[in-house]
Amino acid sequence: MKNLSLVLLLIGISFGAIAQSDVTGKWKTIDDETGKEKSVVEIYEKDGKVYGKITKLFRGPDEEQDPICDVCPGDRKNKKIIGMEIIRGMEWDADDKEYDEGEIMDPKDGKTYDCVLWKEGNELKVRGYVAFFYRTQTWKKVN
């Protein structure tokens, strides 16, 4: 009976790890105001937390193709946006089935927001918020 309990515990831990890791991978960001593709963000796990960096930008021919963020704060100031970590320190919240406690930064204006990530089907919901004010984007999985 003791071995059965141990096996069930290990199975439960395995399913929990799978549920936590399903936000990792590459996601195409969609601007919630214009509906246009903006970038590809690669979400990955590091030291038990989830982070995301921009790996590609969708820019018009008249826009800078490899821009620098001169309005970004701290260690991101005057760095290239491609390769920049814009999601930091997200932790799995098993009760709410989402990642929270981290932050997301908008390289367009350099503002940083509290963040929540969760999946709905094949879509990733990304919510940045300050107090009770928030904005949610839907990101699409890149195959």
Side-chain angles (χ1 to χ4, degrees):
M1 191 56 100
K2 191 174 185 179
N3 287 339
L4 178 60
S5 296
L6 181 60
V7 169
L8 291 175
L9 176 65
L10 291 174
I11 290 171
I13 290 170
S14 297
F15 281 122
I18 291 167
Q20 291 181 43
S21 66
D22 67 353
V23 300
T24 60
K26 291 187 177 184
W27 298 90
K28 190 177 294 183
T29 70
I30 311 295
D31 189 299
D32 56 308
E33 294 174 342
T34 65
K36 292 182 179 180
E37 298 174 339
K38 300 298 279 182
S39 65
V40 173
V41 173
E42 181 179 2
I43 298 180
Y44 54 95
E45 188 176 334
K46 178 174 69 172
D47 300 326
K49 295 184 180 184
V50 170
Y51 297 80
K53 66 180 177 182
I54 295 174
T55 60
K56 181 177 182 176
L57 292 173
F58 298 102
R59 311 281 287 178
D62 58 332
E63 294 178 291
E64 173 64 43
Q65 297 302 304
D66 194 12
I68 302 278
C69 188
D70 57 358
V71 295
C72 290
D75 64 337
R76 297 177 270 209
K77 183 152 182 74
N78 296 321
K79 303 284 191 228
K80 289 185 176 197
I81 293 175
I82 296 174
M84 181 177 288
E85 199 173 70
I86 62 164
I87 297 173
R88 290 185 170 170
M90 303 300 295
E91 297 178 13
W92 177 246
D93 182 335
D95 292 335
D96 293 331
K97 306 279 190 280
E98 65 188 17
Y99 286 87
D100 57 19
E101 300 300 323
E103 66 179 28
I104 189 166
M105 196 256 326
D106 184 348
K108 184 171 71 176
D109 59 17
K111 292 182 181 175
T112 302
Y113 304 91
D114 292 327
C115 185
V116 178
L117 305 173
W118 71 94
K119 276 193 70 182
E120 288 184 8
N122 289 328
E123 298 178 337
L124 182 66
K125 300 296 182 171
V126 180
R127 177 170 291 165
Y129 63 95
V130 175
F132 297 105
F133 300 99
Y134 64 87
R135 202 166 113 190
T136 304
Q137 290 185 343
T138 300
W139 295 2
K140 309 287 184 186
K141 188 78 167 173
V142 175
N143 295 329

